[in-house]
Amino acid sequence: MANDMDTPTPEEQALADEWAAALSEAGDASQDDIDALMNQGAAAPSSPRAPMEEFGSMPKATGPVTLDGPNLDVILDIPVSISMEVGNTDITIRNLLQLNQGSVIELDRLAGEPLDVLVNGTLIAHGEVVVVNEKFGIRLTDVISPSERIKKLR
């Protein structure tokens, strides 16, 4: 039984051969060199860390949300998808397959009602269509407060 434990399986031998090849490619770095590098990393002063906040704890609202705080710097350049929704409706697949050029789809909004402005699918404002330099735009008429947006996420 002791002999079976001493002989490596073919998978173990293949793994050992891969490690041996990788170590030979690494050059002539000795264990002393590796230990010295590890000790240098341990001796280097670590950067000061910010205290961890409790997960799920909400930051205390101290006033209006601003872009001045350092907490938002990390996320300010993240792209988001913004869309304007004229309206919507539900139709059957049969009717969807029958649509062609010139078809009219009735929406759930009245003409002249404000459009919904959605960011990543979350309603943030209402607005009206305008034309700017021969392109469509939207003038925001009502922006939902940040606290209301947070409530909708829950």
Side-chain angles (χ1 to χ4, degrees):
M1 220 44 182
N3 278 346
D4 291 342
M5 298 291 280
D6 293 338
T7 43
T9 64
E11 293 86 15
E12 291 173 331
Q13 185 60 43
L15 183 60
D17 293 341
E18 287 180 34
W19 273 104
L23 288 174
S24 67
E25 287 179 13
D28 51 345
S30 67
Q31 185 63 39
D32 294 335
D33 296 334
I34 295 170
D35 290 340
L37 286 172
M38 294 296 288
N39 288 335
Q40 282 178 350
S46 62
S47 61
R49 294 185 180 192
M52 288 285 285
E53 293 182 16
E54 245 341 276
F55 183 74
S57 67
M58 294 297 292
K60 295 181 176 94
T62 57
V65 176
T66 64
L67 298 179
D68 298 335
N71 297 339
L72 291 178
D73 288 343
V74 178
I75 62 169
L76 289 179
D77 292 328
I78 296 175
V80 294
S81 176
I82 186 167
S83 59
M84 287 41 152
E85 187 175 283
V86 176
N88 58 52
T89 190
D90 293 327
I91 63 172
T92 63
I93 294 176
R94 178 181 325 282
N95 291 341
L96 177 66
L97 294 174
Q98 292 174 351
L99 293 177
N100 55 34
Q101 188 173 352
S103 296
V104 175
I105 301 170
E106 185 178 343
L107 301 176
D108 63 350
R109 293 266 172 97
L110 296 174
E113 271 191 78
L115 281 63
D116 290 340
V117 179
L118 307 164
V119 173
N120 287 345
T122 301
L123 178 69
I124 62 147
H126 298 286
E128 59 188 14
V129 176
V130 294
V131 177
V132 180
N133 296 331
E134 299 182 10
K135 293 184 180 181
F136 284 116
I138 188 163
R139 176 182 295 121
L140 300 181
T141 57
D142 180 38
V143 179
I144 296 173
S145 70
S147 60
E148 288 296 318
R149 283 181 253 164
I150 291 171
K151 286 179 187 176
K152 287 185 179 191
L153 292 175
R154 292 183 183 167

